[in-house]
């Protein structure tokens, strides 16, 4: 036996699962097919949005609350600044479906928020050029997560706790035996009591057949712009934002590097053949729509894309993650399928995965995330 737990994939959730598992067991090994926080994974692109206000299932709120606590714990443990606490804006048509849904979820969760009129926005956040019928909802607890720092900090903390990390070791198969779970990479193999599969877009080949038809690798692209006045788009003056105004939608983050502002079309994930075949360059149509949207939304940004990139992620058919054991043996645990929306809760998901996989704690109320929802009765 090579250990109690193997974590396959050390990206957004896998790194957090390794960190949390290292606090619960002295026999944890993490496997990464490349190097941690490598530029081709779904963690690429500098930042991800963290927010407590959202539209959709209110059952996510406790995970968000716990994730916020854990981001602070990881910062304290490692001395890294991971969550830039700059607040967040959700912008849309006053009586439109986006803000209606968001405010209904917020009413249920009780998340702190403030409604800002078009006039309020012009005074407080003049960087945004709102349409006549747009308003905003301000989230004081939102911010920008520094993805590379988060992943490397979690792995560093895990190693300090005694965890082992094997980089450049892609796992090709997982097999249950009488002795445990055997994982292989080339000519090498290891046996563990339990395994967490957290390899994102690379997870599909390790899944049981009943899940393969309900998952799809998609390409997510990001774009950045230079501000005419950089100070106006600093974290102190420019919160993260999501905007869905009529026929246009975009999300982004302040200039955490002091130079470039992330402003990216929302909801444009498109199927791609596989995690290793993602077109990195934007298409002409993507460039055109991005520049048109930025030109309308942000007069203070120079309407020319100065940087762009694309990354793979694993999407499920219902856009909900796959968190739970695969099969009845309780040996192989899935922590993947985050459908382009997992990083803000990665620390919380990591705690859930580590605790459940090691048999330390079971979390109730997560049936909507369990892989068994796709299994035919």
């Amino acid at each position: 036996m090579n250990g109690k737990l193997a974590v396959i994939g050390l990206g957004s959730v896998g790194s957090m699962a390794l960190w949390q598992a290292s606090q619960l067991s002295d026999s944890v090994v993490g496997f990464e097919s490349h190097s941690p926080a490598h530029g081709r994974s779904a963690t690429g692109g500098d930042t991800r949005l963290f927010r407590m206000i959202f539209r959709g299932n209110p059952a996510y709120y406790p995970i968000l609350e716990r994730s916020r606590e854990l981001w602070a714990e990881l910062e304290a443990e490692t001395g890294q600044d991971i969550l830039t606490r700059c607040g967040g804006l959700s912008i849309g048509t006053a009586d439109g479906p986006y803000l209606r849904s968001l405010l209904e979820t917020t009413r249920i969760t009780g998340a702190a928020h403030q409604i800002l009129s078009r006039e309020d926005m012009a005074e407080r956040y003049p960087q945004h050029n709102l349409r006549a019928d747009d308003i905003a909802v301000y989230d004081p607890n939102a911010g920008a997560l520094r993805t590379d720092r988060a992943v490397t900090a979690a792995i560093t903390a895990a190693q300090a706790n005694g965890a082992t990390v094997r980089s450049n070791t892609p796992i090709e198969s997982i097999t249950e035996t009488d002795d445990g779970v055997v994982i292989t990479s080339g000519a090498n193999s290891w046996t563990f009591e339990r395994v967490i599969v957290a390899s994102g877009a690379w997870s599909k080949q390790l899944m049981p057949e009943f899940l393969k038809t309900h998952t799809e690798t998609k390409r997510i692209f990001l774009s950045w712009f230079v501000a005419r006045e950089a100070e106006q788009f600093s974290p102190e003056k420019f919160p993260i934002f999501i905007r869905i105004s009529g026929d246009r939608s975009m999300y982004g983050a302040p200039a955490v590097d002091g130079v470039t502002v992330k402003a990216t079309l929302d909801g444009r994930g498109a199927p791609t053949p596989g995690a290793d075949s993602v077109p990195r360059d934007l298409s002409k149509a993507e460039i055109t729509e991005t520049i048109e949207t930025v030109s309308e939304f942000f007069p203070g940004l120079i309407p020319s894309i100065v940087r762009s990139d694309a990354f793979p992620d694993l999407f499920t058919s219902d856009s909900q993650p796959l968190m739970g054991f695969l099969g009845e043996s309780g040996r192989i645990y899935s922590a993947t399928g985050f459908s382009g929306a997992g990083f803000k809760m990665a620390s919380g998901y990591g705690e859930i995965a580590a605790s459940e996989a090691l048999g330390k704690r079971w979390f109730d109320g997560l049936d909507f995330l369990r892989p068994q929802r796709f299994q035919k009765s």
Side-chain angles (χ1 to χ4, degrees):
M1 186 71 66
N2 296 100
K4 291 182 180 179
L5 179 69
V7 180
I8 300 174
L10 299 181
S12 56
V13 175
S15 62
M16 302 301 151
L18 187 76
W19 170 46
Q20 290 295 305
S22 72
Q23 298 177 0
L24 301 172
S25 171
D26 59 359
S27 184
V28 181
V29 181
F31 292 84
E32 171 54 48
S33 60
H34 298 83
S35 58
H38 67 92
R40 303 282 20 97
S41 74
T43 65
D46 295 345
T47 57
R48 292 293 184 274
L49 310 189
F50 178 83
R51 60 193 189 279
M52 300 297 294
I53 291 174
F54 60 98
R55 55 175 172 167
N57 193 336
Y60 282 112
Y61 192 73
I63 306 176
L64 279 167
E65 285 189 305
R66 180 57 179 152
S67 296
R68 186 173 56 160
E69 295 173 352
L70 288 168
W71 290 127
E73 288 182 19
L74 184 59
E75 288 178 320
E77 190 170 333
T78 63
Q80 291 290 321
D81 291 326
I82 294 169
L83 177 57
T84 300
R85 295 161 177 82
C86 57
L89 294 166
S90 298
I91 305 168
T93 307
D95 59 350
Y98 170 52
L99 290 188
R100 274 204 310 269
S101 176
L102 181 144
L103 288 170
E104 174 58 21
T105 304
T106 302
R107 182 189 65 79
I108 296 170
T109 62
H113 69 284
Q114 181 182 5
I115 296 176
L116 303 179
S117 68
R118 189 169 182 272
E119 292 72 27
D120 294 331
M121 283 291 292
E123 180 179 349
R124 287 175 55 171
Y125 305 112
Q127 303 93 332
H128 293 269
N129 177 37
L130 268 59
R131 294 179 175 181
D133 52 356
D134 280 344
I135 62 170
V137 181
Y138 178 71
D139 178 351
N141 294 310
L145 287 162
R146 306 302 299 274
T147 55
D148 295 344
R149 289 182 190 174
V151 169
T152 54
I155 292 172
T156 299
Q159 290 174 310
N161 292 335
T164 300
V165 172
R166 293 183 178 272
S167 299
N168 301 304
T169 310
I171 299 303
E172 296 152 0
S173 68
I174 303 175
T175 307
E176 290 193 60
T177 70
D178 292 340
D179 297 324
V181 184
V182 178
I183 62 176
T184 64
S185 177
N188 299 311
S189 65
W190 302 265
T191 302
F192 291 87
E193 291 181 16
R194 296 181 179 183
V195 169
I196 294 175
V197 178
S199 43
W202 288 266
S203 298
K204 194 164 185 175
Q205 67 177 16
L206 304 176
M207 289 181 171
E209 289 300 321
F210 81 90
L211 282 180
K212 289 182 179 179
T213 58
H214 293 283
T215 56
E216 184 176 36
T217 302
K218 290 188 178 183
R219 166 183 175 269
I220 301 170
F221 67 85
L222 302 173
S223 53
W224 289 262
F225 295 79
V226 170
R228 302 181 193 278
E229 297 180 39
E231 183 185 356
Q232 294 303 310
F233 288 84
S234 66
E236 293 76 22
K237 294 186 177 181
F238 186 72
I240 66 163
F241 71 92
I242 300 176
R243 181 172 175 182
I244 302 177
S245 296
D247 57 341
R248 294 199 185 280
S249 59
M250 181 164 271
Y251 69 93
V256 293
D257 62 357
V259 178
T260 56
V261 178
K262 177 186 282 185
T264 296
L265 297 178
D266 179 58
R268 301 303 197 279
T272 189
D276 293 311
S277 58
V278 174
R280 297 184 65 177
D281 294 333
L282 272 59
S283 68
K284 289 183 179 179
E286 290 167 343
I287 293 171
T288 298
E289 185 182 2
T290 299
I291 290 176
E292 287 178 351
T293 305
V294 161
S295 297
E296 177 189 348
F297 285 1
F298 299 109
L301 297 182
I302 298 172
S304 177
I305 297 172
V306 296
R307 181 160 64 99
S308 66
D309 211 336
F311 310 92
D313 200 5
L314 191 68
F315 283 65
T316 63
S317 56
D318 63 2
S319 298
Q320 313 293 338
L322 299 168
M323 293 286 297
F325 286 106
L326 301 174
E328 298 180 359
S329 66
R331 290 177 169 181
I332 303 174
Y333 191 97
S334 172
T336 188
F338 294 99
S339 305
F343 207 104
K344 58 183 171 291
M345 291 179 276
S347 56
Y349 285 137
E351 180 181 58
I352 293 169
S355 300
E356 293 189 338
L358 286 168
K360 301 295 185 179
R361 177 186 172 189
W362 188 254
F363 290 75
D364 295 324
L366 300 182
D367 287 350
F368 68 106
L369 303 181
R370 303 303 185 190
Q372 287 69 29
R373 68 187 186 272
F374 292 124
Q375 195 163 20
K376 294 180 179 179
S377 57

